[in-house]
Amino acid sequence: MTKTWMSRERWDALVRGEDCLLCEVAATLTAPDAEDDYGFTIAEMSAGILRLQKNQYVAGYTTLISKRHVCEIYEFTPAERVEFFADLARASHAITQAYDALKINLSILGNSTPHLHAHIIPRYYGDPSPDAPIDPWTEKRYLADYTEPLRLIRAALAQIP
Ligand SMILES: [Zn+2]
């Protein structure tokens, strides 16, 4: 976690979509299993790309990245809002089922990458932060193989309308 904001010039450029990492992801990593340093694509959904994070400190931690570069939810068209939040609901349901999660926490932050994306963070009974958010970056925990988590989430997703 960084303690200072990036330069204002850099921030303004990112908000405009210049040199935006998530625009790149949305344009190039739509295929199942597409990989970058941060994760693997689970599925291309209606308005977002669903990705499993490589850091699985919280098992099942995924992100839903808007296909279109917007910074805030109010920049979506009404139709995009419906689609994005429907994607988010389906993804949350699938992850709950695939991981037997107790609860799903959602966070839309974007203070370092101002391209709309939601963090989907499953919560488990007995986890170390019952009355507060859990930081999925508390530790880095990488898996030897992501095949099974990807398969489980896709199988659950396929059952959810
Ligand atoms: Zn972008």
Side-chain angles (χ1 to χ4, degrees):
M1 193 181 297
T2 52
K3 300 266 190 275
T4 56
W5 285 78
M6 67 187 80
S7 75
R8 185 59 199 260
E9 293 72 24
R10 171 98 177 122
W11 173 261
D12 290 343
L14 286 175
V15 167
R16 289 191 300 268
E18 296 170 20
D19 198 24
C20 174
L21 177 71
L22 295 186
C23 279
E24 173 92 15
V25 169
T28 62
L29 298 180
T30 56
D33 298 333
E35 179 183 1
D36 67 2
D37 289 346
Y38 300 99
F40 297 88
T41 297
I42 298 165
E44 179 177 2
M45 303 183 79
S46 298
I49 311 294
L50 185 65
R51 306 202 80 225
L52 181 70
Q53 291 292 302
K54 282 186 179 173
N55 181 6
Q56 288 288 292
Y57 168 67
V58 177
Y61 171 35
T62 60
T63 53
L64 181 68
I65 300 166
S66 170
K67 289 184 183 177
R68 187 163 79 79
H69 182 89
V70 294
C71 300
E72 305 292 352
I73 55 173
Y74 56 72
E75 295 172 54
F76 277 143
T77 65
E80 284 172 330
R81 291 177 197 184
V82 170
E83 285 188 341
F84 188 83
F85 283 94
D87 287 351
L88 202 49
R90 278 188 72 217
S92 298
H93 194 174
I95 290 158
T96 299
Q97 292 192 338
Y99 284 85
D100 197 22
L102 182 71
K103 179 76 185 77
I104 294 289
N105 286 179
L106 300 172
S107 62
I108 296 177
L109 303 170
N111 306 313
S112 57
T113 307
H115 172 130
L116 195 93
H117 60 287
H119 300 262
I120 303 169
I121 303 165
R123 302 299 304 263
Y124 299 97
Y125 189 79
D127 77 16
S129 183
D131 59 353
I134 194 163
D135 178 1
W137 293 94
T138 303
E139 285 175 31
K140 291 180 180 168
R141 193 172 294 165
Y142 297 104
L143 307 182
D145 186 356
Y146 292 86
T147 309
E148 188 62 8
L150 290 163
R151 188 192 68 73
L152 279 173
I153 298 169
R154 286 189 190 119
L157 208 50
Q159 302 301 313
I160 296 164

